[in-house]
């Protein structure tokens, strides 16, 4: 049906212009005249006026398809009386009458009007546009209406699709057209619509406002439903572009059919019903939205928050109390509200008896009071349609009761008389004033100097319509709230604002449009203003702000993971890896922690890493300290015993000074282990290894002095020859030389490449292991390699002299002590390399303590045992071991080596 209608209108239009073209190019052909007239209704007042302003208003909401049996096109009838459009039309008449009474605007001229009903249909709008151009009776455009008065411009057409259709024809002749409610962005294209201006902002601004509102409330997953016309399609297109720019997502995008379609309506309803989006944008007019609202009610779809465009947010057709459970809490944008003085009285000044030929007033009366005006040819306004459920919707079903004429308008509650929300109505007034001010400038030739040089001044009423367009440039129009409105190069307002409204119930149970904020705009600046104290009603189960997301916002500790093939608002929450955190909800990437920090268990915060070192307070460190101190005390006790019994043979045997040096070195090595415990510092790192190396060097060099003496004693006993004894000073020189050499190497080590504190994070990222970076490995190996060499020499010399007879087996004790020393340090190497952190230090301390305890136990404890518990064995005879020469099977002792060779007594080769 729609296609047939369009074809009829198109065919009629082509036929008309072919005839016009032929008429203009052929003088001999007979003039063509229209065989039929358009079926148009409206108001006209042109007599005694200078010029006429045309008007297009949707007084009806749709057309009734008709057709002749012969197939010729027939102008359609209209149905569905629209009280709101009727009020807009009356407002234009009221404004023109107001302008005609003023003396500051067009003082020597008055304005007439010719208004047609567009029936909210493109076909009827095309008919009215052609009627404006031809005067309906004429065969070519003459810019005069049927009364013969000059037509200077059009106010209308009451909808974006209607304005687009009318402007494509009116723009061919540059007939100015000022829109009052058409906000489609395409109308800003001056190439397609050169003569179109409007007092309402473009939907690009409204789309920007919607996206800012969505961002303000934290929604990211929003549905969109649009009317199947230019207003809906271009509005949603602009909205989707703004959403994409803001990294927000449109969950679904469906259309409401202009002509009822069960399949299309079901698709739109199912999209709302099945989506997780709890916020839906509705880009449609109230007339197109009405069937969709009924379907929402039928399917009992609640718990949705609707974002309304300016075309229906204040419509009484939708804002009904019975609809509130489903559409309550809607938030939308509305053009500024105004108060129009005198309009209320003008609207009430209407009665069918004033003009029997005023069919629109009679239809208004019949529809408003549900009666039939006597002797009227106006048909009943009945509309029966079947919805998608098979249920019949009766929008208007009038009774046969006759109207008396005594009906009171004060008793009515409909959109026509509702002057509490004069928003689009005020835009009608502004549009008429814009046309009037442009005409006033034309009469005064209000042009700048450059324009005066290029163009001649026009005169009322004899001027071309295109000449009026230049006067819209730089036109300033005062609004009721004191603002100045002017047009940009695209014919759109340069600045303005939207009221942000929220549907709430008042005390009387009616829907109230509560203003909760504003959206202000200029050419480059935009500002969303919603005061914190604004009270909003949310149509949710919890009565709180709804949450409209595809996937809930990722909590701290996780990041967004993209789902292939789905919008960016649909994602997976992936936990952050170790060492990375996301402190804010919804982060796309996890942030790495610093070198000294690590992620907590929830991966939501970087916390200082656990610092690991062998502390005094913990059990292991405390135990090692006790062992170290205990060992040092034992050595000190041995020293005390040696000092007390320093004159006894056992103490004096084999150089007691070296014994004291060994004891002191053991104290040093045992206490040096405490330098390895506690938090490493630069000084402790430099002191620990060097102190240990020097301690062992002093100990082992002293032992080497003893073992060399034993080695010489063994050689003497084996060779049975007179050998020169080793002087005690030589042994001490050996010790001094070794210690000085070790000190030299350690000094070079500390000066050239000293150890430093090192934060080791390699073994465990979660911890910082404080340890010492030993600096030069070569130096470290040198100082301890020297100790190993001394230990090896000690072991070899004592191993050779281990069979030297003695009442006290010192050679064997030193051999066992060195064997323990080697076993400990050989075992230490793999254990040290296989451990990490504080246990690595503990292994080294254990090796120090074990080797020190081993030397202490093997060398000194047997002597202390004899000194303290077996004092009878601590004699010259026992220790010295002097034996008769006849007993040649007995070898020299390690204490005195006094035996007879060739029946001669030989003095001891070992001095005290």
């Amino acid at each position: 049906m729609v296609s047939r209608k369009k074809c009829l209108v198109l065919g009629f239009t082509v036929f008309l212009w072919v005839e016009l073209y032929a008429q203009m190019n052929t003088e001999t052909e007979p003039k063509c005249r229209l065989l039929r007239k358009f079926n148009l209704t409206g108001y006209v007042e042109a007599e005694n006026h200078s010029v006429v302003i045309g008007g297009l208003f949707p007084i009806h909401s749709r057309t009734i398809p008709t057709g002749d049996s012969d197939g010729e096109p027939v102008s359609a009838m209209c149905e569905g009386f629209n009280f709101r459009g009727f009020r807009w039309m009356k407002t234009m008449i009221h404004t023109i009458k107001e302008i005609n009474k003023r003396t500051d605007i067009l003082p020597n001229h008055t304005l007439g009007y010719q208004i047609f009903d567009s029936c909210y249909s493109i076909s009827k709008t095309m008919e009215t546009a052609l009627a404006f151009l031809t005067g309906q009776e004429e065969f070519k455009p003459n810019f005069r209406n049927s009364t013969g008065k000059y037509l200077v411009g059009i106010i209308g057409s009451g909808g974006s699709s209607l304005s687009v259709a009318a402007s494509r024809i009116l723009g061919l002749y540059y007939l100015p057209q000022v829109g009052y409610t058409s906000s489609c962005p395409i109308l800003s294209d001056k190439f397609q619509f050169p003569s179109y201006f409007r007092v309402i902002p473009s939907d690009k601004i409204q789309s920007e406002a919607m996206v800012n509102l969505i961002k303000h409330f934290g929604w990211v997953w929003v549905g969109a439903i649009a009317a199947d016309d230019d207003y809906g399609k271009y509005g949603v297109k602009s909205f989707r572009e703004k959403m994409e720019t803001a990294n927000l997502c449109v969950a679904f995008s469906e259309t409401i059919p202009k002509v009822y379609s069960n399949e299309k309506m079901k698709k739109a309803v199912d999209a709302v019903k099945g989506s997780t989006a709890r916020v839906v944008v509705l880009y449609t007019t109230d007339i197109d939205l009405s069937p969709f609202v009924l379907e929402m009610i039928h399917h009992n779809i609640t718990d949705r928050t609707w974002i309304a465009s300016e075309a229906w947010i204040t419509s009484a057709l939708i804002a009904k109390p019975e609809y509130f459970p489903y559409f309550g809490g809607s938030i939308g944008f509305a053009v500024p509200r105004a108060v129009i003085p005198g309009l209320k009285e003008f609207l009430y000044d209407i009665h069918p008896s004033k003009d029997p030929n005023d069919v629109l007033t009679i239809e208004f009366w019949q529809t408003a009071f549900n009666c039939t005006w006597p002797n009227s040819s106006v048909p009943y306004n009945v509309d029966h349609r079947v919805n998608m459920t098979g249920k019949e919707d009766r929008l208007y079903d009038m009774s046969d009761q006759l109207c008396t004429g005594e009906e009171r308008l004060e008793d009515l509650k409909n959109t026509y008389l509702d002057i509490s929300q004069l928003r689009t109505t005020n835009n009608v007034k502004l549009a008429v004033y814009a046309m009037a001010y442009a005409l006033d400038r034309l009469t005064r030739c209000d042009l700048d100097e450059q324009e005066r040089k290029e163009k001649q001044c026009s005169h009322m009423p004899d001027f071309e319509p295109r000449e009026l367009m230049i006067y819209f440039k730089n036109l300033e129009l005062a609004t009721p709230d004191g603002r100045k409105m002017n047009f940009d190069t695209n014919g759109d307002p340069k600045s303005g604002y939207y009221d942000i409204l929220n549907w709430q119930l008042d005390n009387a149970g009616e829907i109230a449009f509560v203003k909760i904020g504003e959206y202000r705009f200029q050419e480059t600046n935009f500002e969303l203003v919603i005061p914190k104290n604004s009270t909003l009603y949310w149509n949710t189960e919890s009565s709180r702000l709804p949450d409209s997301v595809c996937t809930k916002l990722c909590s701290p500790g996780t990041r967004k993971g993209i789902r292939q093939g789905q919008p960016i608002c649909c994602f997976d929450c992936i936990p952050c890896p170790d060492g990375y955190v996301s402190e804010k909800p919804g982060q796309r990437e996890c942030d790495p922690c610093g070198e000294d920090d690590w992620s907590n268990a929830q991966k939501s915060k970087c916390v200082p890493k656990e610092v690991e070192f062998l502390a005094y307070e913990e059990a292991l460190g405390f135990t090692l300290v006790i062992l170290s101190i205990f060992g040092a005390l034992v050595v000190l006790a041995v020293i005390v015993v040696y000092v007390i019994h320093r004159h006894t043979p056992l103490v004096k045997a084999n150089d007691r000074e070296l014994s004291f040096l060994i004891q002191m070195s053991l104290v040093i090595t045992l206490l040096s282990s405490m330098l390895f415990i506690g938090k490493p510092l630069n000084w402790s790192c430099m002191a620990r290894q060097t102190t240990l190396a020097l301690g062992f060097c002093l100990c082992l060099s002293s032992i080497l002095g003893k073992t060399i003496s034993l080695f010489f004693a063994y050689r003497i006993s084996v060779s049975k020859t007179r050998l020169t004894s080793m002087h005690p000073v030589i042994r001490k020189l050996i010790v001094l030389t070794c210690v000085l050499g070790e000190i030299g190497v350690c000094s070079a080590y500390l000066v050239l490449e000293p150890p430093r504190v090192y934060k080791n994070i390699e073994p465990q990222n979660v911890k910082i292991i404080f340890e010492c970076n030993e600096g030069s490995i070569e130096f470290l190996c040198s100082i301890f390699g020297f100790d190993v060499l001394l230990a090896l020499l000690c072991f070899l010399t004592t191993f050779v002299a281990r069979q030297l007879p003695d009442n006290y087996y010192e050679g064997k004790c030193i051999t066992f002590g060195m064997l323990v020393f080697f076993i400990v340090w050989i075992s230490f190497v793999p254990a040290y390399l296989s451990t990490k952190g504080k246990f690595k230090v503990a292994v080294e301390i254990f090796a120090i303590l074990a080797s020190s305890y081993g030397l202490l136990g093997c060398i000194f404890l047997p002597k202390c045992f004899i000194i303290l518990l077996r004092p009878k064995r601590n004699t010259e005879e026992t220790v010295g071991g002097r034996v008769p020469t006849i007993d040649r099977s007995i070898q020299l002792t390690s204490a005195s080596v006094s035996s007879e060779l060739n029946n001669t007594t030989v003095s001891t080769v070992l001095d005290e």
Side-chain angles (χ1 to χ4, degrees):
M1 186 64 69
V2 176
S3 300
R4 182 173 181 271
K5 182 188 299 182
K6 290 183 178 179
C7 291
L8 291 174
V9 173
L10 181 61
F12 179 80
T13 304
V14 171
F15 170 77
L16 175 65
W17 290 112
V18 168
E19 293 296 330
L20 290 174
Y21 178 80
Q23 179 66 28
M24 289 186 290
N25 290 277
T26 307
E27 295 292 335
T28 59
E29 293 184 4
K31 295 181 180 180
C32 295
R33 305 194 64 82
L34 298 176
L35 298 176
R36 300 189 182 187
K37 292 184 179 181
F38 296 131
N39 184 14
L40 302 176
T41 56
Y43 293 90
V44 60
E45 183 181 314
E47 295 183 1
N48 302 321
H49 295 296
S50 304
V51 292
V52 172
I53 298 177
L56 283 172
F57 295 93
I59 302 175
H60 288 85
S61 59
R62 56 194 167 273
T63 58
I64 303 174
T66 58
D68 275 357
S69 58
D70 57 3
E72 293 185 8
V74 177
S75 183
M77 299 288 290
C78 299
E79 68 173 359
F81 195 84
N82 182 10
F83 291 103
R84 196 182 186 199
F86 192 61
R87 174 170 23 101
W88 296 344
M89 181 270 298
K90 285 288 186 179
T91 302
M92 177 178 173
I93 297 175
H94 174 264
T95 305
I96 290 177
K97 291 181 179 295
E98 180 182 293
I99 293 172
N100 289 337
K101 293 178 182 179
R102 296 179 60 168
T103 59
D104 57 334
I105 304 177
L106 300 171
N108 300 320
H109 303 278
T110 57
L111 302 176
Y113 58 83
Q114 184 176 28
I115 301 173
F116 288 123
D117 178 14
S118 67
C119 298
Y120 199 67
S121 66
I122 294 177
S123 60
K124 190 63 67 175
T125 301
M126 296 284 286
E127 292 178 9
T128 55
L130 293 173
F132 277 130
L133 289 174
T134 64
Q136 219 183 41
E137 303 267 342
E138 300 294 331
F139 59 87
K140 63 180 180 181
N142 58 13
F143 309 112
R144 297 178 182 271
N145 68 353
S146 56
T147 64
K149 294 297 180 181
Y150 198 78
L151 184 71
V152 295
I154 305 295
I155 305 298
S157 303
S160 294
S161 295
L162 310 184
S163 294
V164 168
S167 187
R168 290 195 185 279
I169 295 178
L170 301 176
L172 294 174
Y173 299 94
Y174 295 94
L175 184 66
Q177 182 181 359
V178 184
Y180 53 88
T181 188
S182 301
S183 55
C184 180
I186 196 177
L187 289 168
S188 299
D189 186 353
K190 294 298 101 179
F191 180 78
Q192 299 187 59
F193 310 99
S195 62
Y196 188 83
F197 303 87
R198 53 184 165 189
V199 295
I200 187 172
S202 167
D203 279 334
K204 285 186 176 180
I205 296 177
Q206 184 172 203
S207 298
E208 185 79 33
M210 287 181 174
V211 172
N212 279 305
L213 182 74
I214 290 169
K215 291 169 62 178
H216 174 80
F217 289 115
W219 300 320
V220 297
W221 186 241
V222 179
I225 292 181
D228 192 12
D229 56 13
D230 291 330
Y231 173 71
K233 290 179 179 178
Y234 283 101
V236 166
K237 179 177 180 292
S238 177
F239 172 72
R240 291 176 66 95
E241 291 173 353
K242 301 293 184 182
M243 288 284 283
E244 185 176 349
T245 302
N247 291 324
L248 303 176
C249 302
V250 177
F252 59 87
S253 182
E254 299 294 340
T255 57
I256 300 175
K258 296 284 288 185
V259 178
Y260 192 88
S261 169
N262 184 41
E263 181 181 355
K264 292 182 179 179
M265 187 65 75
K266 184 177 185 302
K267 187 178 180 182
V269 171
D270 290 344
V272 176
K273 194 174 182 180
S275 176
T276 57
R278 288 296 178 266
V279 178
V280 182
V281 171
L282 286 175
Y283 245 115
T284 176
T285 62
D286 54 349
I287 295 174
D288 292 330
L289 182 60
S290 182
F292 179 78
V293 170
L294 296 178
E295 296 298 340
M296 292 292 103
I297 295 173
H298 175 77
H299 288 82
N300 194 30
I301 298 177
T302 59
D303 196 28
R304 300 294 190 280
T305 296
W306 307 92
I307 299 180
S309 64
E310 42 76 31
W312 68 272
I313 184 63
T314 58
S315 171
L317 181 63
I318 306 299
K320 297 179 180 179
E322 57 268 28
Y323 296 168
F324 190 80
Y326 308 92
F327 284 81
S330 295
I331 301 177
F333 298 87
V335 294
R337 177 184 174 185
V339 176
I340 302 178
L343 180 62
K344 180 179 180 180
E345 293 75 13
F346 184 79
L347 294 177
Y348 274 88
D349 185 20
I350 181 174
H351 200 279
S353 61
K354 292 185 177 182
D355 186 359
N357 296 322
D358 187 356
V359 295
L360 290 178
T361 300
I362 293 174
E363 187 175 358
F364 162 77
W365 203 269
Q366 290 184 155
T367 306
F369 295 105
N370 194 19
C371 61
T372 303
W373 189 258
N375 303 321
S376 172
S377 61
V378 178
Y380 291 122
N381 194 347
V382 181
D383 179 41
H384 298 277
R385 289 184 296 172
V386 179
N387 64 15
M388 61 185 289
T389 62
K391 184 178 179 180
E392 187 177 49
D393 292 329
R394 293 194 174 191
L395 302 183
Y396 301 98
D397 191 359
M398 307 182 70
S399 67
D400 295 332
Q401 181 181 355
L402 293 178
C403 302
T404 63
E406 301 297 327
E407 292 84 3
R408 290 169 47 86
L409 290 174
E410 291 80 1
D411 298 334
L412 288 178
K413 290 184 179 180
N414 61 22
T415 311
Y416 172 73
L417 298 174
D418 183 9
I419 61 172
S420 63
Q421 297 290 330
L422 297 182
R423 300 179 186 273
T424 304
T425 304
N426 183 59
N427 276 0
V428 174
K429 181 178 180 178
L430 292 177
V432 176
Y433 264 99
M435 189 72 71
Y437 275 115
L439 287 170
D440 183 65
R441 292 185 63 196
L442 181 143
T443 60
R444 293 183 287 107
C445 196
D446 185 12
L447 299 173
D448 56 33
E449 295 183 3
Q450 183 65 31
E451 291 172 338
R452 286 177 182 270
K453 294 179 181 179
E454 297 177 355
K455 301 189 179 201
Q456 296 181 351
C457 293
S458 304
H459 302 280
M460 288 271 284
D462 188 17
F463 65 91
E464 290 291 329
R466 71 179 65 199
E467 297 176 17
L468 180 61
M469 290 179 55
I470 191 173
Y471 294 96
F472 281 95
K473 182 181 179 181
N474 299 324
L475 175 66
E476 280 195 356
L477 186 64
T479 60
D481 57 0
R483 294 182 299 108
K484 296 292 184 180
M485 188 186 74
N486 46 21
F487 301 102
D488 61 16
T489 56
N490 296 324
D492 299 328
K494 287 185 178 181
S495 61
Y497 69 93
Y498 285 106
D499 285 339
I500 304 176
L501 305 181
N502 179 230
W503 282 17
Q504 302 180 20
L505 278 181
D506 58 16
N507 296 330
E510 299 292 331
I511 293 180
F513 308 118
V514 180
K515 182 177 177 179
I516 60 171
E518 292 182 353
Y519 184 80
R520 303 165 187 166
F521 64 90
Q522 295 179 350
E523 290 184 90
T524 56
N525 297 326
F526 305 90
E527 183 182 12
L528 180 72
V529 180
I530 299 180
K532 293 182 178 180
N533 57 355
S534 298
T535 302
L536 284 83
Y537 173 79
W538 300 109
N539 190 23
T540 58
E541 294 180 0
S542 62
S543 298
R544 296 182 179 179
L545 176 70
D547 188 17
S548 186
V549 295
C550 177
T551 305
K552 288 187 177 180
L553 198 63
C554 291
S555 59
T558 60
R559 66 173 180 85
K560 290 182 179 180
I562 298 175
R563 292 182 183 174
Q564 293 295 331
Q566 294 193 22
I568 60 173
C569 298
C570 300
F571 47 82
D572 296 315
C573 294
I574 303 174
C576 293
D578 292 337
Y580 289 78
V581 298
S582 59
E583 298 182 356
K584 298 178 181 179
Q587 285 191 207
R588 293 188 177 275
E589 298 293 339
C590 297
D591 301 320
C593 292
E595 182 179 349
D596 295 340
D597 296 328
W598 193 249
S599 55
N600 59 3
Q602 294 77 26
K603 305 296 191 306
S604 60
K605 187 177 181 181
C606 287
V607 295
K609 289 182 178 180
E610 179 184 349
V611 177
E612 182 180 278
F613 56 87
L614 188 59
Y616 293 101
E617 296 81 9
E618 58 182 304
L620 180 59
F622 182 74
T623 301
L624 294 175
V625 169
I626 295 298
L627 292 175
S628 177
I629 296 175
F630 176 76
L633 293 176
V634 172
V635 176
L636 291 176
V638 172
I639 294 174
V640 171
V641 171
Y642 265 57
V643 170
I644 295 173
H645 301 86
R646 62 185 178 278
H647 299 296
T648 61
L650 192 57
V651 175
K652 291 165 58 178
N654 204 10
D655 205 325
R656 63 185 175 189
E657 286 79 7
L658 292 181
S659 296
F660 281 117
L661 287 177
I662 295 172
Q663 292 163 3
M664 292 302 299
S665 66
L666 289 177
V667 172
I668 293 172
T669 56
L670 286 167
L671 293 180
S672 68
S673 64
M674 297 179 64
L675 295 174
F676 291 83
I677 304 174
K679 185 176 181 179
L681 300 172
N682 285 332
W683 70 266
S684 63
C685 287
M686 290 189 291
R688 59 169 62 174
Q689 299 292 2
T690 54
T691 303
L692 178 63
L694 290 173
F696 275 126
C697 179
L698 178 60
C699 178
L700 294 172
S701 62
S702 299
I703 294 174
L704 181 62
K706 281 180 170 287
T707 57
I708 290 177
S709 298
L710 294 176
F711 178 76
F712 274 96
Y714 176 74
R715 295 298 297 171
I716 292 172
S717 65
V718 172
S719 62
K720 306 234 187 229
T721 60
R722 180 177 293 274
L723 297 175
T724 303
S725 63
M726 178 180 289
H727 197 276
V729 176
I730 297 176
R731 295 175 234 162
K732 295 174 176 60
L733 286 175
I734 293 174
V735 174
L736 181 61
T737 302
C738 294
V739 172
L740 289 176
E742 187 78 342
I743 290 174
V745 177
C746 290
S747 299
Y749 176 34
L750 295 179
V751 171
L752 298 178
E753 292 188 56
R756 288 287 184 267
V757 176
Y758 170 62
K759 296 179 181 179
N760 188 1
I761 60 173
E762 294 180 0
Q764 294 184 0
N765 290 326
V766 71
K767 294 180 180 180
I768 297 179
I769 302 175
F770 275 92
E771 57 186 24
C772 291
N773 183 355
E774 305 300 347
S776 173
I777 300 298
E778 293 78 6
F779 273 115
L780 189 67
C781 293
S782 298
I783 59 177
F784 284 104
F786 186 68
D787 290 341
V788 172
L789 178 61
L790 292 177
L792 184 61
L793 292 175
C794 292
F795 178 74
L796 292 176
T797 54
T798 55
F799 183 78
V800 172
R802 70 187 187 282
Q803 295 180 352
L804 183 65
D806 199 344
N807 292 331
Y808 171 68
Y809 305 103
E810 187 176 29
K812 293 181 179 180
C813 291
I814 293 176
T815 303
F816 278 110
M818 298 313 300
L819 187 61
V820 171
F821 184 87
F822 275 110
I823 292 173
V824 169
W825 287 101
I826 291 173
S827 303
F828 159 77
V829 173
Y832 182 81
L833 296 176
S834 63
T835 53
K836 303 295 182 182
K838 62 182 179 180
F839 298 104
K840 192 172 186 179
V841 178
V843 168
E844 186 171 2
I845 296 173
F846 178 79
I848 295 170
L849 295 177
S851 58
S852 299
Y853 273 104
L855 293 175
L856 175 64
C858 292
I859 297 176
F860 295 105
L861 289 185
K863 289 185 178 183
C864 290
F865 177 80
I866 295 174
I867 293 170
L868 297 176
L869 301 180
R870 298 292 186 270
K872 294 180 179 180
R873 298 179 56 186
N874 191 5
T875 61
E876 290 289 345
E877 292 78 8
T878 304
V879 176
R882 303 180 72 90
V883 295
T885 57
I886 57 173
D887 190 1
R888 300 185 184 275
S889 62
I890 300 177
Q891 303 296 324
L892 294 172
T893 66
S894 62
S896 61
V897 192
S898 54
S899 60
E900 295 182 0
L901 294 174
N902 299 322
N903 295 324
T904 304
T905 302
V906 181
S907 302
T908 60
V909 295
L910 299 177
D911 299 327
E912 293 181 1

